[in-house]
Amino acid sequence: MRWKKAIPGVDQALLVKDAAKLMPDPMRRQFLRGAASVGALAFLTGCDIIDGDTAESVLRKVSDFNDGAQAAIFSRTKLAPTYKESDITRPFPFNAYYSLAEAPMVDGASYKLEVAGLVDNKTPWTLDALHALPEVSQITRHVCVEGWSAIGSWQGARLSDFLRRIGADTRARYIWFKCAEGYTNTIDMASALHPQTQMSFKFDNKPLPRAYGFPMKIRIPTKLGYKNPKYVVAMEVTNTDKGGYWEDQGYNWFGGS
Ligand SMILES: Nc1nc2c(c(=O)[nH]1)N[C@H]1C(S)=C(S)[C@@H](COP(=O)(O)O)O[C@H]1N2
Ligand SMILES: [Mo]
């Protein structure tokens, strides 16, 4: 794992434990129960602690973490920080539970996004129809629990716009996503309706490369990387928590704000 090299000479597990001690409850309990890692610390402090910080400065950042910052992270309505074009990490990392050579190769021409559950209109969506949705753009930080983060640029439709168009029952609790290779993910409705939650079709203003989830990924800058499903082929609006690939293996369900 890349993060083992993050801070030379510092035991990452001890650092994470020390940082947790500085956190107020219930944040501490939530953190320790869930994705307690250097990556999650980076997410919580809003800093890229991987790029050359000392253990001391990481701990200082956690202890400086005031009520305002916490409200920003745990509120589902506040916006994630945005960045400049020149901040984009190049090359942007690929990550999955397999190598890039094994990543799904989805055929855009025959692709149809399946829509199921508590929605008025279950007609599957072609890529052309999806691309006709009003476009929004964001440059935000993607944080992986494995201990790296990177700034990327994504363009696509607001997921909330899409949900309105299909007549989704937005009082439902969850949205479940299914990906081409079998990865799955459940998110809460408030996060789905967050203004920065995006159905992304482009990375850096170009069609989403295969590495980053062609033809569509769900980009949620208020959540950790594993809550951002790539190669999405189906979604279901539901009141049943159907879990997800990493959540089922013990990662924190919320994975962010
Ligand atoms: N379909 C699918 N989506 C996925 C994953 C995956 O393995 N399969 N990995 C998740 C994790 S842990 C991360 S960090 C990001 C990586 O996205 P990237 O390759 O665009 O950096 O995708 C997330 N979404
Ligand atoms: Mo990740």
Side-chain angles (χ1 to χ4, degrees):
M1 275 211 229
R2 274 163 279 193
W3 63 255
K4 290 220 168 104
K5 286 188 276 162
I7 304 175
V10 174
D11 181 324
Q12 303 292 319
L14 285 180
L15 173 65
V16 166
K17 271 200 188 137
D18 281 350
K21 283 188 204 139
L22 298 170
M23 292 176 188
D25 255 342
M27 181 182 171
R28 177 174 56 240
R29 271 175 295 142
Q30 193 191 338
F31 177 75
L32 289 173
R33 246 199 344 257
S37 70
V38 171
L41 273 185
F43 187 67
L44 291 169
T45 55
C47 309
D48 195 348
I49 59 174
I50 290 86
D51 295 344
D53 264 323
T54 63
E56 197 196 333
S57 72
V58 171
L59 293 175
R60 201 176 312 121
K61 276 171 198 160
V62 175
S63 65
D64 284 350
F65 196 58
N66 61 25
D67 290 345
Q70 269 185 68
I73 283 155
F74 289 105
S75 156
R76 291 178 226 177
T77 48
K78 293 246 172 72
L79 297 182
T82 56
Y83 298 87
K84 301 188 301 288
E85 197 94 5
S86 56
D87 297 327
I88 297 171
T89 307
R90 299 181 194 282
F92 189 85
F94 160 82
N95 196 39
Y97 58 93
Y98 43 75
S99 71
L100 181 52
E102 294 163 286
M105 247 184 273
V106 178
D107 172 31
S110 61
Y111 173 87
K112 286 219 175 86
L113 174 68
E114 307 281 341
V115 180
L118 304 168
V119 300
D120 292 336
N121 189 342
K122 293 185 179 146
T123 312
W125 284 62
T126 63
L127 262 192
D128 282 348
L130 289 170
H131 290 168
L133 293 166
E135 189 178 87
V136 287
S137 179
Q138 65 174 275
I139 300 176
T140 50
R141 185 185 292 277
H142 170 113
V143 181
C144 173
V145 277
E146 284 176 85
W148 57 272
S149 80
I151 293 171
S153 159
W154 291 273
Q155 292 72 38
R158 279 205 172 94
L159 182 58
S160 62
D161 261 6
F162 180 76
L163 291 172
R164 238 191 319 274
R165 272 165 210 254
I166 61 173
D169 179 357
T170 51
R171 293 162 310 177
R173 295 178 66 184
Y174 309 109
I175 305 203
W176 177 77
F177 296 101
K178 190 177 139 207
C179 307
E181 86 285 46
Y183 191 88
T184 53
N185 213 205
T186 301
I187 64 167
D188 58 285
M189 184 60 77
S191 298
L193 297 176
H194 185 284
Q196 286 172 310
T197 297
Q198 193 187 90
M199 287 176 109
S200 307
F201 310 115
K202 293 181 188 165
F203 184 88
D204 204 13
N205 293 296
K206 291 184 272 298
L208 200 61
R210 176 176 162 219
Y212 310 145
F214 181 85
M216 192 270 277
K217 73 169 271 173
I218 301 293
R219 171 68 190 139
I220 313 182
T222 53
K223 292 211 177 286
L224 292 166
Y226 66 89
K227 285 290 201 181
N228 289 235
K230 306 191 288 184
Y231 322 101
V232 175
V233 293
M235 68 166 80
E236 180 179 337
V237 178
T238 170
N239 280 311
T240 309
D241 178 7
K242 297 173 82 173
Y245 183 86
W246 287 115
E247 293 84 338
D248 298 350
Q249 297 178 55
Y251 275 112
N252 177 301
W253 190 90
F254 227 52
S257 64

